[in-house]
Amino acid sequence: IIAAITEAQKELLRAEGMTLSDNLVVNGRSMISILSILVHNGTHIDAPRHMLERGYSIDQVPLTQVTREGVLIDLPNKGPNSSVSVKDILDTGVQLGPNRIPVINTGWTEKMWRKPGFWEQMPYLEPGVGEFMVGKGVPALAMDIFPEKAIWRGVKLDPGENWVANHIALLEKGLARNPTRWQYA
């Protein structure tokens, strides 16, 4: 909180456990607060800048690229620490291409939200899924799991495994039908 209406409101906010700015102003007019969040909470879109030093920002992604018809890749039997492979995707029979955004659904959030192991045991994409999707020319990829093993949660990698391979494959190509359109600043 950076501003409070009165000293009494300031004390009430403090009693409620609110974080008050060291230079909070009592202005007699309005309470003003600041919201700060990590952009990797909840639903979000990774911009190439997330993993590529000279990648473009999300405001440079054409809205038409991420607002297309979706196609469901339903894999509801993926359990803790399991992976989604190219074979899993092919076995669904879903046709992939430049006009539809694949949506990989394992149902993990519905099964595990707020339960022990939600983050630590979340399924992930196997290396190679990103390159496969790029090869199919998909404009974007949506999923309810991690794009790679979650090493920041203590998951161990296989020898020689690149923990950001899918991120890099997808973001380097911009998931655009015409990747040459993007000029990295």
Side-chain angles (χ1 to χ4, degrees):
I1 308 292
I2 61 170
I5 300 170
T6 63
E7 285 292 331
Q9 184 185 45
K10 176 180 169 181
E11 293 312 312
L12 175 65
L13 295 170
R14 181 175 280 122
E16 290 175 353
M18 296 285 192
T19 302
L20 305 182
S21 171
D22 291 337
N23 57 353
L24 182 139
V25 175
V26 175
N27 64 23
R29 294 181 307 277
S30 63
M31 184 192 89
I32 301 172
S33 57
I34 294 177
L35 172 65
S36 176
I37 63 171
L38 178 68
V39 296
H40 276 76
N41 284 335
T43 301
H44 69 279
I45 299 172
D46 281 346
R49 189 170 286 171
H50 170 52
M51 300 299 273
L52 305 173
E53 179 183 7
R54 298 181 62 81
Y56 53 89
S57 60
I58 198 64
D59 63 316
Q60 294 173 306
V61 175
L63 192 55
T64 56
Q65 182 173 335
V66 293
T67 55
R68 306 225 183 150
E69 177 184 359
V71 59
L72 182 63
I73 298 174
D74 204 19
L75 301 167
N77 298 319
K78 293 296 176 181
N81 299 312
S82 64
S83 63
V84 172
S85 67
V86 170
K87 182 182 182 322
D88 291 332
I89 294 166
L90 290 170
D91 286 350
T92 66
V94 170
Q95 297 299 307
L96 302 171
N99 296 319
R100 300 190 301 174
I101 296 173
V103 179
I104 298 173
N105 175 47
T106 65
W108 183 254
T109 299
E110 289 78 15
K111 291 183 260 187
M112 293 295 295
W113 180 245
R114 295 185 188 234
K115 294 181 182 174
F118 175 78
W119 293 109
E120 297 83 3
Q121 299 174 8
M122 184 178 283
Y124 57 90
L125 300 181
E126 285 187 5
V129 171
E131 283 293 339
F132 172 74
M133 291 293 179
V134 168
K136 291 293 185 179
V138 301
L141 174 62
M143 66 197 95
D144 67 345
I145 57 174
F146 290 136
E148 288 95 12
K149 288 181 183 177
I151 65 165
W152 60 93
R153 300 285 183 201
V155 175
K156 303 294 182 210
L157 295 179
D158 297 330
E161 187 176 350
N162 178 349
W163 80 273
V164 293
N166 286 316
H167 265 96
I168 299 299
L170 296 167
L171 297 175
E172 275 185 340
K173 302 297 186 273
L175 287 183
R177 286 192 287 167
N178 180 9
T180 58
R181 178 202 182 295
W182 303 110
Q183 299 299 316
Y184 296 139

